[in-house]
Amino acid sequence: MHWVEFLKPLSEGAWVTIQLTVYSTILGAVMAFASGIGKLSPNWFIKGASVVYIEIFRGTSLLVQLFWLYFALPIAGDALGIDLRLPPVVAGVLALGLNIGAYGAEVVRGAIQAVSRNQYEAARALNFTPRQALWRIALPQAIPEMMPSFSNLAVQNLKDTALASLISLSDLAFKAEQLRNFYQNSETIYTIILFMYFGMALVLTAMMRILESSVGRWRRARR
Amino acid sequence: MTQPIIAFDKVVKRYGSHVVLDELDFTVAQGEKVTIIGPSGSGKSTVLRILMTLETISGGVIRVGGEPLWHEEKNGELAPAGEAHLRKMRTQLGMVFQQFNLFPHMTVLRNLTEAPRCVLGLSKAEAKARAEELLQLVGLTEHANKFPGQLSGGQQQRVGIARALAMRPRIMLFDEPTSALDPELVGEVLNVIRRLAAEHDLTMLLVTHEMRFAREISDRVCFFDRGKIREQGTPEEIFGNPQLDRTKQFLSAVTEGE
Amino acid sequence: MLFGYHWDTAHGEWAFALSILPMLLRGLLVTLEASVVGFFVAMVLGLILAVLKGARSRLVSWPATFVTEFIRDTPLLVQLFFLYYVLPDYGIVLPAFLTGALALGIQYSAYTSEVYRAGIEAVEPGQHEAAKALDIPPGRTFTHIVLPQAVPRVIPALGNYLVSIMKDVPVLSVVTVLEMLNVAKIIGDQTFDYLVPLSMVGGLYLILTLVASAFVRFVDVSLPKRGLPLR
């Protein structure tokens, strides 16, 4: 079978991979900001919840988290009397998003704390509330700082989507396995998908770089 | 006699075991222009920072406009002030920082309109009108849409002054406004402060090393040392005829460079 | 039954948990072994890549950079499958454990090479100038002057990758390596209770990463900051 004929089924898998990446990255971003900011909160309940979430999802393996959500959660649900059987897509997006969100949280927290105290003093002098100071003054200055790390995390997330194939999600890695089982042509198929992942990673990196430059416009303004 | 607009009553400020303000008694009348001079570490900036509620006090009472600043009157007694009370008191004060502290991600115009819109509730048009008036006052009208990173230090500080004025405070605090500037940029900032002093009946509290300027615009000069006012009087009295040895020593060391 | 131990599904959750603990700990041992071997490969391979990337000849540095980027931007799972199924076609037959550790090492060598590069470039130019003035040949300058100063600087960053490698070991389960997650899955497949084994693995991982991080910090603190002493 000529390798070009592999491309069509693999592209279907690639499309699933892209969707997985997009959804889980969005979830990850939300969780990163929520828990990163939450970790800085004076409210000990919010802070505690954020710390627990971050420590658990950064301290355990992604595959363990994925398997737990897909295999173990339903059993916990049965014990509680609720149906917690997650379809592979939901389990996949959830595991990936929660995992990457925990790593992103540290990036968010670090960047916010890197904003100079002087800015907070100026905000206080002008009578901004602490919440206004965070959202209008600190965050806009922190976000450009976060972008390089976010770019790395996004590519990491893309790579991690391959693990979803292990719970039967029809992504690129899954499709590759199907083809390989049928045609026994390991070398060709794996080489193709390695390059496909590489290509997707390059596109993702380029997109993140564009995003990076648009949020950092004011930093490049010089006399 | 009318009440002083600022009154420090035996105010103490401690950082751990280090005493920065030592039972300080200090008053400022409404509309008065007071300059505070003194060696570093004497507590000069701390006075301004405490007034601007950036630092708490360890003892004593401060009154601004007759009302306690860091305390609230509850059932006839003084209790530590809550955030709501502090916010109310803060509206009377504005501060200009040594490092300007402009918001780098906002244009000059937005630096001036952000607080009036978010804090005072002004409409976009009202805030813009006020901002343009102030830009004219400080001579920066054509820089309205630039970012702070595109301005010189002197220009940034002038924006800083305009930003503080946009909140229409009764009292303006200047914490070494020209100390971080290159010498040739100091003049443009001092000009703005000079105009403010002459044309408005703002109460102004200025901490500075610019002695000639202090002499020119002040109603009163206070010499601070080790947490207390050691000597105060009119500029002529302090600069022309200082009484204490410490004051003489400080003035001769500082004016040697002039 | 696994590793010679039996699980106990007849006396409730806690008895079950206790009975599978020895099996999971055996899996933990495999996890540790795979991590250490993989880390070692990553350290060695990463250094080689870093040196190649810094070569003055573009014929050497560009391919090295491309290879590093390629490894870094492609999933570990696919790299693992590639090694596992393709290497035998070329006559290289390795036990699954070694294939897995090798895949881990290769994937992380892309990261460690970046760390090494940063450490090497952080050594002040003054050191290079002094070496030149003293007529020390470039090869010796690198091994005796630059590297002993660069390595302690990068230990914390490298150590963090050890912890990351530990978290990636479960991927090896797809090529039948009996690490912790695989053991838990087998128990679950046979007893239909995934909740207890998987939760225990999660807990064991938390403990593992905590201990490993503390160890890395300890090594960082005990290492001389200004360079490894050469006698």
Side-chain angles (χ1 to χ4, degrees):
Chain A
M1 184 145 175
H2 193 240
W3 65 267
V4 176
E5 292 161 41
F6 288 138
L7 288 181
K8 184 163 180 298
L10 287 179
S11 302
E12 288 164 15
W15 176 233
V16 173
T17 295
I18 292 173
Q19 290 176 75
L20 259 181
T21 309
V22 169
Y23 293 138
S24 60
T25 306
I26 293 174
L27 174 62
V30 169
M31 292 308 298
F33 277 94
S35 55
I37 295 173
K39 202 172 171 184
L40 296 170
S41 168
N43 178 326
W44 62 262
F45 183 71
I46 296 177
K47 181 173 180 173
S50 305
V51 169
V52 167
Y53 159 68
I54 294 171
E55 288 305 305
I56 288 182
F57 279 90
R58 272 195 349 158
T60 54
S61 163
L62 171 58
L63 196 51
V64 174
Q65 294 158 14
L66 182 62
F67 275 18
W68 197 92
L69 284 174
Y70 190 61
F71 292 113
L73 190 61
I75 298 179
D78 284 344
L80 293 170
I82 5 173
D83 180 7
L84 285 173
R85 282 188 300 258
L86 300 172
V89 166
V90 176
V93 171
L94 206 56
L96 288 165
L98 289 174
N99 184 277
I100 210 83
Y103 288 95
E106 284 303 298
V107 175
V108 170
R109 187 194 56 81
I112 290 177
Q113 287 187 311
V115 173
S116 160
R117 253 192 77 210
N118 287 346
Q119 291 290 302
Y120 291 102
E121 291 196 342
R124 197 172 157 97
L126 290 166
N127 226 355
F128 283 104
T129 63
R131 185 180 295 163
Q132 285 172 329
L134 176 68
W135 288 96
R136 289 171 180 277
I137 314 278
L139 265 181
Q141 294 184 51
I143 286 178
E145 281 298 314
M146 305 177 197
M147 292 311 293
S149 300
F150 276 178
S151 186
N152 289 333
L153 289 177
V155 173
Q156 183 63 44
N157 203 25
L158 171 65
K159 294 194 299 175
D160 287 339
T161 58
L163 295 179
S165 67
L166 301 176
I167 55 172
S168 327
L169 252 178
S170 301
D171 73 327
L172 184 55
F174 187 79
K175 284 282 194 221
E177 272 304 286
Q178 278 185 327
L179 286 176
R180 192 192 66 81
N181 277 322
F182 200 73
Y183 293 102
Q184 296 298 310
N185 197 342
S186 308
E187 193 175 341
T188 315
I189 294 172
Y190 284 135
T191 308
I192 295 176
I193 69 167
L194 279 174
F195 274 95
M196 285 177 86
Y197 272 110
F198 186 56
M200 286 192 279
L202 290 179
V203 169
L204 184 57
T205 309
M207 284 171 61
M208 292 303 287
R209 203 156 289 168
I210 293 174
L211 193 60
E212 202 175 327
S213 72
S214 77
V215 296
R217 209 168 42 98
W218 55 267
R219 290 168 125 197
R220 288 185 309 275
R222 281 281 165 263
R223 299 175 56 189
Chain B
M1 191 190 95
T2 45
Q3 212 178 46
I5 197 171
I6 297 176
F8 276 56
D9 184 12
K10 299 211 171 2
V11 173
V12 178
K13 172 66 185 173
R14 251 178 255 118
Y15 287 114
S17 55
H18 177 54
V19 177
V20 177
L21 294 181
D22 185 12
E23 298 210 341
L24 176 65
D25 290 321
F26 176 50
T27 57
V28 178
Q30 184 162 344
E32 211 184 344
K33 324 285 188 236
V34 178
T35 303
I36 301 177
I37 62 172
S40 354
S42 56
K44 327 189 290 294
S45 288
T46 311
V47 170
L48 296 190
R49 290 171 61 83
I50 285 177
L51 273 170
M52 196 65 249
T53 69
L54 298 175
E55 311 260 6
T56 56
I57 53 176
S58 316
V61 181
I62 302 174
R63 286 195 160 75
V64 173
E67 255 192 277
L69 175 66
W70 274 104
H71 297 92
E72 283 181 88
E73 298 214 15
K74 280 186 182 161
N75 310 320
E77 285 202 350
L78 288 178
E83 184 64 19
H85 177 80
L86 287 172
R87 294 203 72 216
K88 195 185 74 162
M89 298 302 287
R90 237 178 257 142
T91 57
Q92 308 175 66
L93 297 143
M95 184 152 175
V96 175
F97 296 90
Q98 183 177 353
Q99 301 291 339
F100 336 132
N101 295 353
L102 295 185
F103 303 134
H105 59 294
M106 296 183 184
T107 58
V108 165
L109 191 65
R110 191 145 170 230
N111 260 278
L112 300 186
T113 58
E114 193 75 1
R117 287 185 68 192
C118 296
V119 180
L120 299 178
L122 283 158
S123 75
K124 191 169 176 182
E126 287 172 333
K128 186 156 185 258
R130 187 183 285 193
E132 284 169 348
E133 224 182 279
L134 288 165
L135 280 174
Q136 211 174 34
L137 175 72
V138 301
L140 289 171
T141 316
E142 66 271 20
H143 298 280
N145 291 313
K146 292 211 182 132
F147 288 98
Q150 295 172 290
L151 302 178
S152 74
Q155 291 167 325
Q156 288 187 54
Q157 191 60 297
R158 287 190 272 157
V159 174
I161 296 173
R163 185 178 65 170
L165 288 172
M167 299 297 277
R168 300 265 167 88
R170 293 168 67 190
I171 304 167
M172 276 287 277
L173 307 168
F174 296 85
D175 187 5
E176 301 205 35
T178 57
S179 298
L181 295 174
D182 289 336
E184 66 262 21
L185 301 173
V186 169
E188 65 191 66
V189 175
L190 294 184
N191 279 337
V192 171
I193 303 179
R194 188 181 289 122
R195 277 178 71 186
L196 269 182
E199 294 173 15
H200 295 252
D201 61 356
L202 268 180
T203 310
M204 287 165 61
L205 221 55
L206 183 67
V207 169
T208 185
H209 293 303
E210 298 285 331
M211 298 302 161
R212 266 175 310 176
F213 183 70
R215 196 163 183 158
E216 194 195 312
I217 65 154
S218 315
D219 296 323
R220 176 161 48 115
V221 176
C222 298
F223 175 68
F224 245 80
D225 189 29
R226 285 165 293 128
K228 272 181 135 89
I229 300 179
R230 303 292 167 185
E231 201 177 333
Q232 57 182 318
T234 65
E236 295 73 39
E237 287 167 2
I238 296 292
F239 292 116
N241 192 14
Q243 298 295 306
L244 294 180
D245 280 339
R246 185 77 185 91
T247 318
K248 291 183 201 168
Q249 190 186 49
F250 175 74
L251 286 174
S252 69
V254 171
T255 53
E256 223 168 63
E258 285 186 10
Chain C
M1 153 157 157
L2 204 55
F3 295 125
Y5 297 98
H6 295 262
W7 49 69
D8 179 1
T9 47
H11 295 104
E13 300 296 319
W14 291 105
F16 180 50
L18 216 62
S19 67
I20 62 173
L21 187 60
M23 306 174 198
L24 291 177
L25 288 177
R26 283 293 206 97
L28 176 60
L29 201 64
V30 177
T31 300
L32 280 172
E33 289 166 354
S35 308
V36 168
V37 177
F39 184 62
F40 187 71
V41 173
M43 287 245 279
V44 171
L45 211 58
L47 185 57
I48 296 174
L49 277 174
V51 170
L52 290 178
K53 278 199 285 189
R56 234 165 309 176
S57 159
R58 285 209 285 222
L59 225 63
V60 176
S61 65
W62 279 16
T65 309
F66 177 76
V67 167
T68 313
E69 273 309 300
F70 192 81
I71 297 174
R72 203 160 63 159
D73 290 344
T74 49
L76 171 62
L77 181 65
V78 180
Q79 292 171 6
L80 176 60
F81 275 145
F82 187 88
L83 288 175
Y84 190 68
Y85 290 112
V86 175
L87 281 185
D89 289 347
Y90 288 91
I92 310 174
V93 181
L94 293 169
F97 176 83
L98 280 182
T99 313
L102 185 63
L104 275 173
I106 291 175
Q107 161 91 180
Y108 277 88
S109 70
Y111 296 116
T112 59
S113 75
E114 280 302 302
V115 173
Y116 280 123
R117 266 255 71 77
I120 291 171
E121 274 161 26
V123 176
E124 306 98 45
Q127 296 289 308
H128 294 268
E129 288 167 6
K132 210 165 180 176
L134 290 165
D135 233 359
I136 304 178
R140 211 178 153 81
T141 307
F142 187 71
T143 52
H144 282 68
I145 313 243
V146 177
L147 223 47
Q149 294 185 57
V151 171
R153 239 175 274 223
V154 301
I155 294 283
L158 286 180
N160 284 331
Y161 283 120
L162 174 61
V163 182
S164 300
I165 287 177
M166 283 181 186
K167 289 186 273 183
D168 265 338
V169 167
V171 177
L172 271 45
S173 59
V174 304
V175 293
T176 76
V177 172
L178 278 175
E179 48 72 55
M180 259 202 297
L181 181 63
N182 209 353
V183 171
K185 188 146 186 299
I186 292 173
I187 297 173
D189 287 340
Q190 308 224 352
T191 64
F192 300 111
D193 180 358
Y194 289 100
L195 182 57
V196 171
L198 284 177
S199 305
M200 286 175 75
V201 169
L204 284 170
Y205 253 109
L206 278 175
I207 298 171
L208 180 63
T209 53
L210 232 91
V211 170
S213 300
F215 175 70
V216 169
R217 264 198 305 274
F218 170 74
V219 170
D220 176 31
V221 161
S222 354
L223 225 82
K225 276 285 175 278
R226 272 176 305 137
L228 297 165
L230 293 178
R231 296 199 195 290

